[in-house]
Amino acid sequence: MARAATTSDAFNAIAEPQRREILVLLRYGERPVTDLARDLGMTQPQASKHLRVLREVGLVRVREAGKQRLYGLDARGLRPIHEWVGGFERFWSESFDRLDEYVQELKQARQEEPPDDDDQ
């Protein structure tokens, strides 16, 4: 089966770890490409390529600020990912609830145990 192009959707775009790191950095506000490249330990051309992919799938926006181009997070592009992951929220909540019940049962059983002879 042929792999979808990296720029076809947000899922493919964020499959690359450095792109996810860019999104994390942009959560805190707009940044120029030079800052992103420095913080991620990559060259400016590498960061620019990643930003282009993120921009093409709607995860990043760019605006001109004088001679600088500032990149910012466009969280609307994350909606499909959020909706997909949200489908697993019930699963995880139920799993954690069952785990909590099990831990409570263990605590209760431990409290009901008679003391060992060594404990006296």
Side-chain angles (χ1 to χ4, degrees):
M1 175 190 277
R3 188 170 159 241
T6 303
T7 59
S8 67
D9 66 25
F11 290 94
N12 285 324
I14 67 165
E16 209 291 322
Q18 290 179 314
R19 290 192 200 112
R20 291 192 305 268
E21 283 298 313
I22 289 171
L23 295 176
V24 168
L25 291 173
L26 293 178
R27 281 192 314 196
Y28 303 105
E30 294 180 323
R31 308 272 300 272
V33 66
T34 52
D35 286 3
L36 293 168
R38 181 194 64 234
D39 290 351
L40 295 170
M42 65 176 67
T43 65
Q44 185 272 328
Q46 289 171 318
S48 292
K49 285 182 182 180
H50 288 306
L51 286 165
R52 179 184 49 79
V53 170
L54 293 169
R55 213 173 54 246
E56 288 176 0
V57 299
L59 295 174
V60 168
R61 57 180 158 57
V62 63
R63 85 177 166 88
E64 303 289 331
K67 292 183 179 184
Q68 262 189 335
R69 294 174 61 140
L70 297 176
Y71 293 87
L73 180 65
D74 188 346
R76 293 175 298 180
L78 292 170
R79 182 172 301 279
I81 295 165
H82 174 73
E83 290 171 355
W84 184 78
V85 170
F88 294 94
E89 185 176 356
R90 182 175 172 194
F91 168 79
W92 285 110
S93 293
E94 290 172 358
S95 296
F96 287 128
D97 289 346
R98 284 192 307 272
L99 179 61
D100 186 51
E101 288 172 15
Y102 178 69
V103 168
Q104 295 307 319
E105 289 172 12
L106 288 175
K107 285 181 180 179
Q108 184 68 31
R110 181 168 272 173
Q111 289 174 355
E112 293 173 358
E113 287 180 2
D116 288 340
D117 290 339
D118 295 341
D119 292 341
Q120 296 180 359

